[in-house]
Amino acid sequence: MNKIVKVMSGTAFAGMLAFSSLTPTFAAEGQAVNTSQAVTQKEAAGCITQTKAKEVALKQVSGAYKSAELVKESSTYIYKVIVVGEDGNEHQVKLNAKTGKVINSSVQTKASFISKQNAKSVALKQVKGTFKTAELKQENGVFVYNVIVLDQNGKQQQVKINADTGKVTKTETVTQTTTQTTTTSTKTVSQVKITAAKAQTAALKEVNGAVKTAKLTKENGVNLYHVNVIGEDGKEHEVKVNASTGKIVKTTSSSQVTYLTKAKAKTAALKYQTGTVKSVTMKVENGTCIYQVSIKDNSGKTQQVNINAQTGVKC
């Protein structure tokens, strides 16, 4: 049978009253013991503190500390530390209270919280951008994920997610005074000086066409916009734009022609409307790439014919 122990001073009964309001878990992180029967001060002095036990447990299981207790099993003092893991499970880490070494680690409750990966997905649905960090913490008795996302305008957003329900509780723009963790990350954000819109404009100067997607990433410590452009040559191009300077870093083009070229779109439009082509513009609307062909008909009026850039059919 486990014997739960507690340090008692050898002084007056008033010292016992000071502990009367304590719960079965620890009242403060510096204490090494729990409830019930008294042990000698010498025995307690030989145990590591709860703070140290917590540190050891969190190195064993990534997550957030929940609770700890000190028990005696077969004359050995053992810490039982409960950690809410980033995998969504509750773990119990047993460690020797004298040496601080981990004895074993086991899952106590499976899938009792959302995982770090699920929290990341929830945050990216809330804020479109690039995932930076996610930290599981206990705040006012509630376990939450603080997820940092770099949005498409280069601003850093913090999304708070209830780890129990998976619901977003708060979204805010990170400032220098938010937290120590996010202040450090803000130094990285300061390197992002241009918006996604400006990066797209720079990419379209490099490649004539329409922007399909634009994403902010970090490569070798440098923030880059990856802008995917459907070119008027019918090919897909990736243009990398430096998020600090706005300069083109690299352009990569596909070898395959997967869309209509501008010339073929012009020909396709004239099958639907006779006349003289005045202009041809490529756009992406609702995820579909189209050519907008402006034609001056035989009566002198201007008609617009929209051509699906993949099928060549009027839309």
Side-chain angles (χ1 to χ4, degrees), residues 104-166:
N104 62 53
S105 176
S106 60
V107 175
Q108 296 294 100
T109 310
K110 288 187 176 181
S112 52
F113 297 88
I114 68 168
S115 66
K116 180 179 179 179
Q117 187 62 35
N118 287 340
K120 173 183 173 181
S121 299
V122 171
L124 289 174
K125 286 181 181 178
Q126 181 75 8
V127 177
K128 301 297 182 184
T130 304
F131 168 79
K132 303 298 290 184
T133 62
E135 184 180 12
L136 180 59
K137 300 179 81 174
Q138 185 176 182
E139 297 180 357
N140 300 319
V142 178
F143 287 94
V144 298
Y145 280 98
N146 289 326
V147 185
I148 303 299
V149 177
L150 203 61
D151 68 19
Q152 293 178 342
N153 292 319
K155 292 184 178 180
Q156 194 166 219
Q157 306 290 339
Q158 178 176 268
V159 184
K160 281 186 179 288
I161 301 168
N162 186 304
D164 186 29
T165 64

Side-chain angles (χ1 to χ4, degrees), residues 204 207-213 228-237 257-262 265 268 280-293 305-315:
L204 290 174
V207 178
N208 290 325
V211 173
K212 185 179 181 181
T213 60
N228 290 322
V229 178
I230 300 171
E232 292 178 349
D233 58 359
K235 299 178 182 180
E236 286 197 32
H237 307 262
V257 176
T258 52
Y259 295 86
L260 263 68
T261 63
K262 183 177 180 178
V280 181
T281 306
M282 179 183 267
K283 286 188 175 182
V284 174
E285 293 185 349
N286 300 320
T288 302
C289 185
I290 64 170
Y291 281 100
Q292 293 180 338
V293 184
V305 181
N306 292 339
I307 302 294
N308 187 302
Q310 284 186 298
T311 64
V313 176
K314 181 181 177 181
C315 55

